Amino acid sequence: MEHIADCFSFALECLFLFSSSISNFFRAGELLPILAWTYLVFVLLCLMSWSNVRQARHFTMFSFPFSVFNLFIFFTLQLSRLVDAQSLGTATTSGQSAATAPADDPSPSQTSPGAVAADGTISSVRPIFTIPAGVDVGASLIPNIEDPEAIDAQTVCPGYNASNVKRTASGLTATLTLAGQACNVYGTDIETLNLTVEYQSADRLAVRLVPSNVASSNISQYILPTEFVHQPTVDAGAGMSSLTNDLSFVWSNDPTFSFTVYRKSTGDTLFSTQGTKLVFENQFIEFASVLPENYNLYGLGETIHGLRLGNNYTKTMWAADIGDPIDYNLYGTHPFYLDTRYYEIDESTGNLTLVTSNETDPMADYVAYSHGVYNRNAHGQEILLRPTNITWRLLGGSIDLYFYAGPTQPDVTTAFQTSAIGLPAMQQYFTFGYHQCRWGYANWSQLQEVVDSFERFGIPLENIWTDIDYMNQYRDFENDLHTFGYDEGETFLSNLHANGRHYIPIIDAAIYIPNPLNASDAYPTFNRGNDTGSFLTNPDGSLYIGAVWPGYTVFPDWLSDGAAQWWTNEMITYHGKVAFDGAWIDMSEVASFCVGSCGTGNVTMNPVHPPFGLPGEPGYVIYGYPEGFNLTNATEAAVAASASSSQAAASSTGEAASSTTLSYLRTTPTPGVREVNYPPYVINNVHGDLAVHAASPNATHADGREEYDVHNLFGLQILNATYNALLATMPGKRPFIIGRSTFSGAGKYAGHWGGDNTSLFAYMYFSISQALSFSLFGFPMFGVDTCGFNGNTDEELCNRWMQLSAFFPFYRNHNTLTAISQEPYVWASVAQASRTAMTIRYSLLPYMYTLFYLAHNTGSTVMRALAWEFPNDPSLAAAETQFFLGPALLITPVLAQGATTVNGVFPGTGGKGEVYYDWYTHAPQNISTPGANVTIDAPLGHIPVYIRGGYILPTQEPALVTRDARRNPWGVIAALSVEGTASGNLYVDDGESVVQNGTLFVEFTASNNALYASARGTYNDTNPLANVTVLGVQTAVGNVTLNGASVGEEKVQFNESSQALVVTGLEELTRGGAWAQDWVLSWG
């Protein structure tokens, strides 16, 4: 009877356990299947084999408080709490953080399993596990430049001595050997180096230092293949042209090897390592050069910083997924700088004296010489700019330097592009229209509402974009069928295209890896990539699995044989479902939200939520506003400030600050061994540990290379792959790509946007320097997130920024999830300001398109610093609040909150031969003092724009879309110089084809009271000429004729006070097309 009672008690116990937790079993299965299956096996084992395992009384809940069943019940209750907690709010699928650690670029939010909806509410269809925040915390490191214990390599390393020097047809070669005992300070010293010096052309000198013993086992550590990054070589016929090279190379062994590059025409030292030691180790290279006092250096990207770099700044280059901090390394790597030196000319002797002060004499005469320096190295690195020198510190590779003689910025930029990085991609005409995006457009219907609103408010809209909201749980090449279904999308896109507009989706660099235990989680894109060996691996050959928006992810390996074709096939397949018109490549540093292969062994938890909160979630509500918001919106600002304080207090742990001294990881070099995850020399990386928010440095490529050696190239490689994929997807059309991570040379494939900026006047200010720097890097197609991405914007900031960005080539408004809407029609004043600026922009699209044609063919720039257009004026060396669009338009925006005036200079005026005309009034600006900083009226809604005398601008009547604008009549604006002359040009083609069937090039000249237009080419443009405006007409206007035929007095207006001649109604006289025949308009 006792045995029966025990059995009955055990059976009841099992029945109670199974019945009471059956729902938990299924819910736990969704959260983590392994828990559910373990639970089920245990219960079945107890039910079926109780008599063979142990006596029943040992299981009885009432006879032994710590029995296995009691412990299991306790576990069951805890599991239930975990499932309930995940269901109630901690889970979301994925998305982008604008307020926490990654603050990445634009990205997602959508109503799918556990997603944040566009209104900030939580929709939890299925609970999703949140990756612990600790997975994205790296080792505690201190940058070498801040480390009091750091060893100065210059004090302990021996340097090198040169021997076996031999002349070659283009320069010399030599062998360098260590001049003493190896120091092995941050790696293993390389005993012997090969030096190669080449005079490669009339204006280029190459200096290369590579280890003498390079084999297949270590070649990836030192040699950057030319198929990855083009390597300039000796030009054909360089033997003769190099004789005129203005650069000279001199070397010395006193006291150890050093070299100097001189400019022969001035005797100036451009680069000299004299007085320093060359350090060359397997994980650390250091070389330095003297620089003159108060030097002018530009470039060395990518960071947000002033245009002129200054002499107390460290530039770090390690592609980082980060929300635009000022002065730290960002998304791209561009190891190139422009050095401009000004000399005052002695009037009596002609001698030159180097200018070393910011204070200059506006009445004196100066001349400038510029040169460029490019270090073709893709490793992590930092460049130390100090008052008297520049120091390069590299984490690997070789020294591969190229010196460009200039002597002007255009000369340097053209030579750099044509020899090293390639000419910028030619864009389709539509890409110069206005672009609208945001993180939070929830479905096709909402996109249609945005498009309709632009139409209703009469604001041009060319392109509508979607962030990762459109994706199926944030997976590339798949739409969310509930919100962005393919059938509805086909209707939307058909109407969009019919109305002359375009659609651009975001495409991330990470690929979701499906849950193998969930058949419904299938993801064919991953399967196809995995089958072709297209993904990065761990050192042991297993897949490297990080985490990005969709959960645990893998990353394309662009060095594998299959990745590029797999990427192309996915693009083609997806385009068959969604007729997109370009690609927005994001997260391409490559970014990962955890350190190391955190997904290894955890894929059965997919999909998972990133290890940080999303904008709008509890604790991450956006309360930030621009500077001065408390002055213009006091009540709202007070409410926001109070809520922000409450949120911060609620999020605080309440722990007192620790007084414990921080302990840092310092790696001691092991001879002959590389430590790629924690290199001995610690660069000043914004994230510290190189693996934070990035694929780990020891991730491995198909050819055996480690990510450590090619990390900075991922952005370049994905843009190259995307360019070729779009050529295959839309044959014959120029690919339109905007990419985040870039390297030198990526501009020949794509444009770039400035990343996750913030809605502050400060970021609007820095946008000009960003754009000008990328002009030097070969990226004329540049823009920023207008009105700001992170935080809330406001009416004043958006008003000013919409007008400023209208003169950037890439013109897009974009902001973060749950921030206030910032489409230009949200505020009446912003809508009007936008229409005003866009009317100018769309009128000038022929001019901008011509500038891009010239940039694509000659390497010229589109946005230009004042110092580049007026190279002999040292007062402009640091000018960064104004810019030229091409040579002819001077833009002077308001960049400060609350301002109604702006100070600006008019370079070359005050008796120095230049004149500028107000765009709006056509009146010349009377500037009597050279270099005068003039106060200009600029009330809200007005951006000062001036036409520079001596230039002729082609125009076309604007429209809401570029397709319609291209069908409108032409116009010409001739702004006469002080001498009464002007010139300009116009390029016309079909606006989209890679290979043109016909092109048209029109040249304009003006002199002696006449304007001439002469065309050549076979492209047939039938739009008539509507009007001609001539500014700066000094003499009385007589009979105005076009090719000898009077245009009629009723079509002529002449304003004597503004000296502007406007001739209208020319359509009838040019009905065959404005450029069908050459013409001359006379007004003498």
Side-chain angles (χ1 to χ4, degrees):
M1 293 294 293
E2 181 181 357
H3 179 68
I4 295 175
D6 284 343
C7 290
F8 181 75
S9 175
F10 176 70
L12 287 176
E13 191 172 314
C14 290
L15 181 61
F16 166 75
L17 179 64
F18 186 81
S19 62
S20 63
S21 57
I22 189 169
S23 63
N24 241 17
F25 164 76
F26 289 108
R27 296 171 67 202
E30 293 180 327
L31 177 63
L32 191 59
I34 191 65
L35 289 178
W37 289 112
T38 302
Y39 185 92
L40 180 62
V41 169
F42 187 85
V43 172
L44 292 177
L45 179 66
C46 293
L47 288 172
M48 299 172 60
S49 306
W50 59 270
S51 60
N52 297 325
V53 178
R54 202 176 293 177
Q55 291 184 12
R57 61 178 175 271
H58 292 157
F59 285 87
T60 305
M61 144 185 322
F62 305 105
S63 63
F64 183 48
F66 296 99
S67 69
V68 174
F69 273 135
N70 279 344
L71 293 175
F72 203 88
I73 287 174
F74 175 79
F75 169 78
T76 301
L77 293 174
Q78 299 308 311
L79 178 62
S80 177
R81 290 178 179 177
L82 175 63
V83 172
D84 288 339
Q86 290 290 323
S87 298
L88 289 174
T90 57
T92 7
T93 47
S94 160
Q96 168 186 353
S97 171
T100 59
D104 296 329
D105 131 3
S107 267
S109 126
Q110 70 183 34
T111 310
S112 58
V116 179
D119 62 0
T121 60
I122 304 296
S123 170
S124 186
V125 178
R126 173 191 180 280
I128 301 296
F129 176 71
T130 297
I131 302 174
V135 301
D136 202 30
V137 177
S140 180
L141 305 173
I142 181 171
N144 181 276
I145 61 172
E146 299 175 4
D147 188 355
E149 299 180 20
I151 299 172
D152 180 2
Q154 292 296 311
T155 65
V156 298
C157 293
Y160 288 80
N161 285 323
S163 61
N164 195 29
V165 180
K166 297 179 180 179
R167 294 179 181 173
T168 66
S170 57
L172 62 86
T173 61
T175 301
L176 271 60
T177 54
L178 278 175
Q181 184 176 354
C183 61
N184 299 328
V185 61
Y186 295 115
T188 302
D189 280 28
I190 306 301
E191 178 72 27
T192 308
L193 306 173
N194 291 338
L195 167 68
T196 302
V197 178
E198 293 176 334
Y199 292 89
Q200 295 187 334
S201 71
D203 61 357
R204 186 173 73 255
L205 171 68
V207 178
R208 299 194 195 104
L209 281 161
V210 300
S212 299
N213 299 313
V214 174
S216 58
S217 60
N218 66 358
I219 189 171
S220 65
Q221 300 176 23
Y222 301 111
I223 305 301
L224 180 57
T226 192
E227 60 267 27
F228 293 1
V229 178
H230 177 70
Q231 184 175 43
T233 56
V234 177
D235 288 358
M240 292 301 296
S241 65
S242 64
L243 297 177
T244 62
N245 197 314
D246 199 23
L247 303 178
S248 179
F249 176 90
V250 178
W251 68 275
S252 171
N253 271 341
D254 184 17
T256 60
F257 172 78
S258 64
F259 71 89
T260 300
V261 176
Y262 291 99
R263 185 184 294 280
K264 291 187 288 188
S265 60
T266 64
D268 194 19
T269 298
L270 305 187
F271 197 95
S272 178
T273 65
Q274 184 72 36
T276 66
K277 296 173 185 175
L278 170 65
V279 183
F280 203 122
E281 300 176 340
N282 64 346
Q283 284 194 270
F284 179 73
I285 299 172
E286 180 176 277
F287 60 98
S289 170
V290 295
L291 285 173
E293 182 184 352
N294 208 29
Y295 51 81
N296 306 296
L297 258 59
Y298 312 88
L300 296 177
E302 175 182 16
T303 55
I304 295 179
H305 187 76
L307 177 62
R308 184 187 184 205
L309 298 179
N311 59 13
N312 186 25
Y313 182 39
T314 299
K315 280 273 190 172
T316 303
M317 296 184 185
W318 181 260
D321 167 29
I322 185 69
D324 284 19
I326 293 171
D327 288 349
Y328 281 93
N329 52 303
L330 295 178
Y331 317 103
T333 299
H334 297 274
F336 167 86
Y337 70 77
L338 175 76
D339 184 339
T340 298
R341 303 182 185 184
Y342 297 94
Y343 300 83
E344 186 171 359
I345 305 172
D346 188 300
E347 293 182 358
S348 59
T349 65
N351 292 339
L352 304 180
T353 302
L354 181 67
V355 175
T356 59
S357 171
N358 288 327
E359 301 300 324
T360 58
D361 182 357
M363 303 306 295
D365 291 327
Y366 299 90
V367 64
Y369 288 85
S370 293
H371 67 274
V373 179
Y374 171 48
N375 184 31
R376 183 180 167 273
N377 184 295
H379 278 77
Q381 56 192 277
E382 61 187 19
I383 299 96
L384 283 65
L385 300 173
R386 299 297 183 260
T388 61
N389 66 342
I390 179 173
T391 301
W392 296 73
R393 292 175 178 172
L394 318 172
L395 296 186
S398 297
I399 298 174
D400 195 3
L401 289 166
Y402 299 86
F403 299 91
Y404 294 90
T408 67
Q409 173 273 324
D411 294 331
V412 172
T413 302
T414 295
F416 176 47
Q417 293 183 20
T418 55
S419 69
I421 63 173
L423 293 164
M426 184 62 186
Q427 301 293 334
Q428 294 189 56
Y429 202 93
F430 82 81
T431 64
F432 299 109
Y434 175 73
H435 304 253
Q436 181 62 50
C437 183
R438 84 158 294 165
W439 177 14
Y441 287 150
N443 49 52
W444 291 122
S445 297
Q446 194 172 107
L447 286 186
Q448 188 62 59
E449 291 173 5
V450 173
V451 173
D452 292 344
S453 294
F454 273 90
E455 190 89 33
R456 186 169 64 255
F457 284 93
I459 303 173
L461 173 66
E462 186 77 16
N463 306 281
I464 190 74
W465 296 49
T466 50
D467 212 310
I468 61 178
D469 310 275
Y470 78 90
M471 295 179 179
N472 171 24
Q473 300 180 78
Y474 313 124
R475 306 174 189 188
D476 283 350
F477 310 119
E478 285 191 358
N479 278 26
D480 184 327
L481 298 182
H482 300 289
T483 55
F484 286 90
Y486 296 123
D487 291 341
E488 185 182 355
E490 183 177 2
T491 301
F492 170 81
L493 292 173
S494 178
N495 292 332
L496 191 78
H497 291 144
N499 289 314
R501 295 187 172 95
H502 305 83
Y503 168 64
I504 316 295
I506 195 171
I507 301 172
D508 280 340
I511 299 298
Y512 178 75
I513 182 168
N515 187 330
L517 300 183
N518 184 356
S520 66
D521 201 41
Y523 184 39
T525 290
F526 164 80
N527 296 335
R528 291 187 288 262
N530 198 37
D531 291 344
T532 52
S534 297
F535 302 130
L536 279 174
T537 64
N538 288 304
D540 64 3
S542 62
L543 284 177
Y544 182 95
I545 306 172
V548 191
W549 303 122
Y552 292 119
T553 57
V554 293
F555 306 96
D557 176 9
W558 305 113
L559 306 189
S560 69
D561 293 333
Q565 187 57 53
W566 158 76
W567 190 251
T568 295
N569 293 342
E570 296 305 313
M571 287 275 192
I572 293 172
T573 300
Y574 183 62
H575 192 263
K577 302 174 183 177
V578 178
F580 59 88
D581 300 290
W584 172 18
I585 302 299
D586 192 22
M587 311 301 291
S588 51
E589 291 69 34
V590 60
S592 177
F593 299 155
C594 62
V595 174
S597 186
C598 63
T600 298
N602 294 321
V603 175
T604 54
M605 300 173 71
N606 249 350
V608 295
H609 181 282
F612 47 80
L614 305 181
E617 291 183 343
Y620 298 94
V621 177
I622 297 173
Y623 294 114
Y625 284 91
E627 309 94 325
F629 186 71
N630 60 313
L631 302 177
T632 58
N633 298 268
T635 301
E636 188 176 353
V639 171
S642 175
S644 178
S645 297
S646 298
Q647 178 171 264
S651 301
S652 174
T653 61
E655 297 177 358
S658 172
S659 60
T660 304
T661 302
L662 287 176
S663 176
Y664 297 108
L665 172 66
R666 292 181 173 90
T667 301
T668 301
T670 300
V673 177
R674 290 202 311 168
E675 173 49 80
V676 297
N677 284 337
Y678 304 107
Y681 183 86
V682 180
I683 60 175
N684 191 31
N685 179 30
V686 64
H687 287 306
D689 189 332
L690 299 181
V692 172
H693 257 351
S696 180
N698 72 341
T700 307
H701 294 263
D703 64 353
R705 293 176 193 272
E706 292 179 295
E707 178 70 2
Y708 177 89
D709 298 311
V710 292
H711 168 80
N712 287 333
L713 297 179
F714 193 99
L716 168 66
Q717 292 164 337
I718 193 174
L719 293 176
N720 180 14
T722 303
Y723 185 88
N724 291 320
L726 291 185
L727 282 175
T729 301
M730 293 170 270
K733 291 187 177 182
R734 303 167 190 152
F736 173 52
I737 309 167
I738 296 295
R740 191 169 78 172
S741 184
T742 59
F743 188 83
S744 299
K748 61 179 174 283
Y749 306 123
H752 176 61
W753 97 103
D756 293 354
N757 61 8
T758 301
S759 297
L760 295 171
F761 281 85
Y763 280 88
M764 180 171 62
Y765 179 101
F766 280 119
S767 69
I768 298 174
S769 295
Q770 287 180 276
L772 295 175
S773 295
F774 270 86
S775 293
L776 295 177
F777 304 148
F779 285 82
M781 194 62 169
F782 178 90
V784 297
D785 284 348
T786 301
C787 300
F789 174 74
N790 285 318
N792 295 306
T793 193
D794 69 2
E795 181 176 2
E796 182 185 1
L797 176 61
C798 204
N799 188 307
R800 295 298 191 187
W801 211 333
M802 283 296 295
Q803 292 205 313
L804 169 60
S805 287
F807 299 93
F808 280 45
F810 178 51
Y811 185 17
R812 186 183 73 166
N813 180 316
H814 176 52
N815 69 323
T816 190
L817 178 67
T818 72
I820 65 171
S821 296
Q822 62 184 41
E823 292 83 4
Y825 51 73
V826 170
W827 303 272
S829 76
V830 178
Q832 182 55 46
S834 301
R835 284 189 290 264
T836 298
M838 288 188 189
T839 296
I840 302 173
R841 177 188 180 90
Y842 276 63
S843 298
L844 289 168
L845 286 180
Y847 171 68
M848 187 177 289
Y849 192 69
T850 300
L851 291 175
F852 263 78
Y853 167 77
L854 296 173
H856 173 66
N857 284 278
T858 70
S860 60
T861 53
V862 176
M863 287 181 67
R864 304 178 182 182
L866 273 59
W868 305 345
E869 281 297 299
F870 291 87
N872 298 326
D873 185 349
S875 71
L876 302 176
E880 59 187 10
T881 59
Q882 298 173 267
F883 62 93
F884 281 96
L885 183 59
L889 288 174
L890 175 62
I891 314 300
T892 307
V894 173
L895 302 172
Q897 189 276 326
T900 57
T901 62
V902 60
N903 291 334
V905 297
F906 293 87
T909 57
K912 294 204 170 186
E914 294 287 339
V915 62
Y916 295 84
Y917 302 91
D918 188 295
W919 172 272
Y920 307 94
T921 68
H922 296 163
Q925 302 304 290
N926 297 314
I927 311 298
S928 58
T929 304
N933 204 6
V934 180
T935 299
I936 304 164
D937 286 335
L940 192 64
H942 176 74
I943 180 169
V945 178
Y946 300 93
I947 307 173
R948 182 178 169 192
Y951 291 92
I952 299 175
L953 302 173
T955 66
Q956 213 160 6
E957 291 183 14
L960 293 181
V961 293
T962 61
R963 178 200 64 186
D964 296 344
R966 281 175 60 89
R967 297 169 180 171
N968 283 343
W970 293 94
V972 176
I973 301 174
L976 301 180
S977 67
V978 174
E979 293 80 16
T981 62
S983 62
N985 44 51
L986 166 68
Y987 172 75
V988 187
D989 63 13
D990 69 10
E992 64 177 24
S993 299
V994 175
V995 178
Q996 293 289 328
N997 291 324
T999 62
L1000 186 69
F1001 196 80
V1002 184
E1003 293 183 289
F1004 304 105
T1005 57
S1007 63
N1008 299 319
N1009 299 330
L1011 171 63
Y1012 302 84
S1014 176
R1016 62 181 184 272
T1018 59
Y1019 183 80
N1020 183 27
D1021 182 279
T1022 59
N1023 299 313
L1025 178 68
N1027 54 74
V1028 173
T1029 301
V1030 184
L1031 307 181
V1033 177
Q1034 301 286 340
T1035 59
V1037 173
N1039 184 33
V1040 179
T1041 62
L1042 183 67
N1043 281 350
S1046 177
V1047 301
E1049 292 184 4
E1050 72 281 1
K1051 298 177 182 178
V1052 178
Q1053 295 180 353
F1054 178 62
N1055 188 317
E1056 292 186 5
S1057 62
S1058 65
Q1059 300 175 342
L1061 169 66
V1062 179
V1063 184
T1064 58
L1066 298 175
E1067 291 89 343
E1068 184 61 28
L1069 294 174
T1070 58
R1071 58 181 177 273
W1075 326 117
Q1077 60 178 333
D1078 295 349
W1079 51 259
V1080 56
L1081 181 82
S1082 299
W1083 59 88

